Amino acid sequence: MKSMKRCVVVAPVGPNPAAIAELVWHLASAGTTVAALHLVLESERSRHYVDKELLGPGRALCELRDLFGDRVPVDAHLVEASTAEGFLPIHERHPDVISAMSEPLWTAARNAQRQAGDAPVVFGLTGGRRRVSTAIQTAVYQLLGRTGDRLVDVRVSLPVAAGGTQFFFPEQTKQQLVGTDKTTTFVARDVVIWVEPVDVPRLRPLLQEADLATFSHAKAAAAAMVADASPPAVEVDVWQGVVRVDGRAVKMPRSQVVAYQLILAARARGESEVETVDFPRFRAFTHWRVGSPPFLATLRGGLFDGTVQEGQDANAKLMELFSKMRRNVQAHADKWCPAKGHWLVPRSVKDDDQVNRNQLALPPGCIIVIEGAS
């Protein structure tokens, strides 16, 4: 992890606060001054062990300060994660566990950023086995993390040293320890601590300051922005000869709908383009089968009479059909899907051989093709 001169740490604390001490040790040993600790206590056990093992006289934070001096803070800012009934229960099945964790973590992170100023805030994934706190801390970072802020996971080289063993950092006073398996003994100075940066997308640059009042506000604002930016969902019902955009059927002449379906179905399979003059492919796509809707036979008869097979006449009709379809989609796409119509419009391009092809930007995962009767 890139070195920092100064930082502020914000982190959840589960029943075992060792990961907090390990994170502070890693930062201080790299020459970083940890200006402040903002900790969110997950339960009564968190409070008990933070007082007993981390913050009490002669405990881990005190020993770290003896080792690194002013690079380690004297104390920590504590916020409790609690439900209406009081402190957050140890189990994760409580209906209020998400809000009980998310808003205190959000408040702690906002306070950490204010205190940090231009310095980075380090968001620690230090909640232990409580996966809810890890998920929420990650979400808080994604919504609130600024350029320079870090999301990190704390690791130790010896698995039996992780959690509830009274291991905090290699130079600690108590060296002889017993592992989590209750049988393996180890020496603290033999354990290596490292911090793994966690690279996840950040949405903070897209949010307004007014969106950051609470975690709930920020989450709702981000969800709305993602929804606005996401491509529409398109359903290609080959059987009925219908294309639906976000659940609503588009209105076009049926022959143009089928031409559009051909491009959409190809895109759904991952094809990047469809040749306009491809009579065999169009014929196969509209091939009448026993039990298939009769409009396909009518459509083929209307476009290609019995005398038209492959050749200039068929090619001209296909060129005209696809051209009309593209113009129609271009004219109506924004009505079908406001602000997202550009995803729906096929683009006509010519390759080096002057072959006309249709390209569509809509991602394949946004297209569902229904080929049989429902």
Side-chain angles (χ1 to χ4, degrees):
M1 186 170 69
K2 187 177 178 180
S3 61
M4 301 169 283
K5 291 183 177 180
R6 177 179 174 273
C7 74
V8 172
V9 170
V10 60
V13 186
N16 175 26
I20 303 296
E22 293 160 4
L23 176 56
V24 172
W25 177 90
H26 176 87
L27 293 167
S29 64
T32 301
T33 296
V34 181
L37 285 173
H38 291 260
L39 307 180
V40 178
L41 307 176
E42 297 181 357
S43 67
E44 292 179 355
R45 288 181 64 189
S46 303
R47 165 72 76 175
H48 172 76
Y49 285 106
V50 161
D51 289 341
K52 179 181 178 181
E53 297 182 347
L54 186 67
L55 302 181
R59 302 306 180 188
L61 198 65
C62 185
E63 285 197 31
L64 283 167
R65 191 167 173 82
D66 290 341
L67 182 63
F68 295 112
D70 290 341
R71 276 181 273 169
V72 176
V74 176
D75 206 346
H77 303 275
L78 304 180
V79 178
E80 296 180 355
S82 60
T83 64
E85 296 87 10
F87 232 143
L88 185 68
I90 292 176
H91 65 76
E92 298 188 351
R93 294 189 298 272
H94 194 283
D96 294 334
V97 67
I98 301 297
S99 61
M101 282 298 302
S102 59
E103 296 302 344
L105 275 170
W106 186 265
T107 299
R110 291 277 279 168
N111 290 337
Q113 287 180 337
R114 292 188 189 99
Q115 186 171 5
D118 294 334
V121 170
V122 176
F123 291 71
L125 298 176
T126 52
R129 289 174 293 180
R130 188 182 288 280
R131 288 168 293 185
V132 167
S133 68
T134 299
I136 295 173
Q137 176 76 330
T138 303
V140 168
Y141 170 79
Q142 289 183 285
L143 294 170
L144 199 56
R146 309 164 301 177
T147 301
D149 290 346
R150 322 281 177 86
L151 178 68
V152 302
D153 191 21
V154 185
R155 313 279 180 87
V156 294
S157 60
L158 190 63
V160 295
T165 64
Q166 295 191 331
F167 170 77
F168 300 102
F169 58 95
E171 299 92 341
Q172 66 184 53
T173 300
K174 186 175 181 179
Q175 285 289 309
Q176 298 295 326
L177 302 168
V178 179
T180 51
D181 60 2
K182 307 302 182 186
T183 56
T184 303
T185 59
F186 65 96
V187 179
R189 62 175 171 270
D190 294 336
V191 180
V192 177
I193 298 171
W194 78 97
V195 167
E196 194 72 31
V198 180
D199 186 17
V200 295
R202 291 186 306 107
L203 298 177
R204 171 67 181 269
L206 305 178
L207 298 175
Q208 303 298 318
E209 186 63 29
D211 299 327
L212 305 179
T214 66
F215 178 78
S216 298
H217 277 89
K219 183 176 69 170
M225 293 182 67
V226 170
D228 288 344
S230 299
V234 176
E235 185 179 278
V236 179
D237 192 332
V238 177
W239 184 265
Q240 297 294 334
V242 175
V243 171
R244 300 181 185 90
V245 176
D246 285 341
R248 296 185 297 274
V250 305
K251 293 182 180 180
M252 283 196 303
R254 184 163 263 175
S255 60
Q256 294 180 29
V257 169
V258 173
Y260 194 28
Q261 285 186 328
L262 175 60
I263 295 174
L264 289 166
R267 186 68 183 130
R269 292 191 295 271
E271 297 182 42
S272 59
E273 56 187 22
V274 173
E275 186 175 335
T276 299
V277 180
D278 190 344
F279 183 83
R281 183 170 190 168
F282 189 88
R283 180 174 57 190
F285 188 73
T286 59
H287 181 63
W288 189 87
R289 296 176 296 277
V290 174
S292 63
F295 81 83
L296 285 178
T298 304
L299 172 66
R300 288 191 64 213
L303 288 172
F304 309 108
D305 59 34
T307 62
V308 175
Q309 299 297 322
E310 300 183 41
Q312 292 299 319
D313 289 343
N315 293 347
K317 286 192 174 185
L318 282 177
M319 289 287 288
E320 181 182 6
L321 172 62
F322 276 85
S323 178
K324 287 181 177 179
M325 177 272 294
R326 287 193 299 269
R327 290 198 300 270
N328 211 341
V329 174
Q330 176 79 51
H332 297 95
D334 284 333
K335 296 179 182 177
W336 300 338
C337 190
K340 302 182 185 180
H342 62 282
W343 290 105
L344 303 172
V345 181
R347 188 166 65 97
S348 177
V349 298
K350 288 185 178 181
D351 60 18
D352 293 339
D353 296 325
Q354 298 300 302
V355 175
N356 189 280
R357 300 178 185 276
N358 298 273
Q359 296 179 345
L360 192 64
L362 190 67
C366 296
I367 306 169
I368 297 176
V369 180
I370 303 172
E371 294 186 344
S374 56

